[in-house]
Amino acid sequence: MLGTAPSPGLLQLVDEAAGHPRLIVSLLTGLREENALRTVDGQAHPVGRVLPRRVTAQVAATLETFSPDCRQLLRTAAVLGRELDYEVLAPLLGTTPSGLVRLLDEAVATGALDHSGARTVFRGALLHQVIAESVPASLKRALRREADQVRRLRAREEPAAAGGQLNDRQHAVVQLVGQGLTNQQIARRLDVSPHTVNYHLRKLYGNYGVRSRIGLLRAVQDGVRANAG
C-alpha cells in the first residue's frame, strides 16, 4: 500500500489495530492522504500520534451496524477502560450482569471485543481509543463520576472483615494471595475483574491496618489464632 518498507514505529501503530483488515487499510490510507508519513532511509515513519479522520469515520460507520444498546455498551465501557468491569457497567446501563450477556455476545461476534476466560477487553488499543474519543469530554467526566459512585455504593454494601472474620469472597482472595497469585491471576480464578480484586485488597488492608500482602497474611493468621484461643 505504501510502496516502501514500514518503520518499527509504523508497525507498532498497525499492531494496535489488532488484525482488523479494514481498520488497517483505513489507517494506512488515511496516513497517506493526510501526509502523516515521511520516508527516512527507505522506511515509512508516522508523523505524530493523531489518528487519521478516515479511521474515525470507519469506526463510526461500523458502530452504526450494531444495535443501539450494543453501541451504548461499547462507548460507555471504552470511557472506563480497555477491560470491561461488568459489576460497574451493569448499573450504569440500567441492567444486571446477566442482562449484559446478549450485548457482549453481539460485540464479541462483530470483533469489537475479545473474551477469554474471565476477561473481556477491547480488541486492540486503536479501536478502544477511537471509540473512547467519540464520547464528548463532558460526558466522559459524568460517566466516570457515576462509575465512582457505583463503586462506592458497592463498598458500603459489602460486609467488612472485622476481628479476623472474613466473608466468603475475602477469604478466597486471601487464600489466593497466600498462593502467590497476582491480581490478574486471582481475578481469573474468581471470575471477576482485576478492579474488584484491587477493591477487596484495599478494603482488607484498611481493615487490618496493613500496607502489603505479607502484612495482610500475617494479620489474618494472627486473627485466626486469636479466635482459636
Side-chain angles (χ1 to χ4, degrees):
M1 288 186 65
L2 302 178
T4 188
S7 68
L10 181 56
L11 284 176
Q12 181 180 358
L13 185 58
V14 170
D15 282 344
E16 292 180 3
H20 277 287
R22 287 186 297 174
L23 194 55
I24 293 173
V25 171
S26 294
L27 173 64
L28 295 177
T29 302
L31 289 172
R32 187 174 55 193
E33 288 174 345
E34 297 179 14
N35 297 316
L37 291 171
R38 70 174 186 274
T39 302
V40 179
D41 297 329
Q43 291 187 332
H45 295 256
V47 178
R49 286 287 303 178
V50 178
L51 294 176
R53 291 184 294 274
R54 180 180 283 267
V55 171
T56 303
Q58 172 68 51
V59 173
T62 300
L63 287 177
E64 285 302 313
T65 67
F66 299 173
S67 69
D69 288 343
C70 187
R71 288 199 300 271
Q72 183 184 15
L73 166 70
L74 290 172
R75 298 182 78 194
T76 302
V79 170
L80 302 182
R82 188 170 171 189
E83 181 178 348
L84 277 66
D85 186 339
Y86 310 131
E87 295 180 6
V88 172
L89 278 173
L92 284 184
L93 298 175
T95 185
T96 61
S98 63
L100 297 177
V101 173
R102 175 181 57 82
L103 302 180
L104 290 170
D105 286 345
E106 179 183 352
V108 170
T110 53
L113 300 176
D114 275 336
H115 178 71
S116 58
R119 301 181 69 236
T120 303
V121 298
F122 280 88
R123 183 181 170 191
L126 194 62
L127 183 63
H128 171 244
Q129 176 184 344
V130 175
I131 295 177
E133 290 178 352
S134 72
V135 180
S138 57
L139 182 53
K140 285 181 186 176
R141 290 192 292 271
L143 285 172
R144 287 167 181 156
R145 284 196 299 269
E146 190 174 357
D148 287 341
Q149 290 172 357
V150 170
R151 294 187 183 104
R152 286 195 293 269
L153 180 60
R154 278 168 44 199
R156 288 197 299 268
E157 291 176 346
E158 178 110 9
Q165 298 300 314
L166 305 176
N167 61 43
D168 291 343
R169 179 51 55 83
Q170 292 167 336
H171 181 70
V173 169
V174 170
Q175 278 194 321
L176 295 174
V177 167
Q179 295 175 23
L181 273 62
T182 66
N183 286 10
Q184 293 281 355
Q185 291 169 328
I186 293 173
R188 286 194 289 270
R189 286 281 191 93
L190 299 179
D191 197 22
V192 298
S193 76
H195 299 295
T196 300
V197 176
N198 287 334
Y199 157 71
H200 284 301
L201 284 175
R202 287 196 303 270
K203 193 168 186 64
L204 286 166
Y205 287 173
N207 289 336
Y208 284 101
V210 298
R211 296 184 178 181
S212 68
R213 290 172 172 238
I214 293 176
L216 173 62
L217 293 175
R218 287 174 178 167
V220 170
Q221 290 175 349
D222 289 345
V224 170
R225 292 192 190 101
N227 289 334

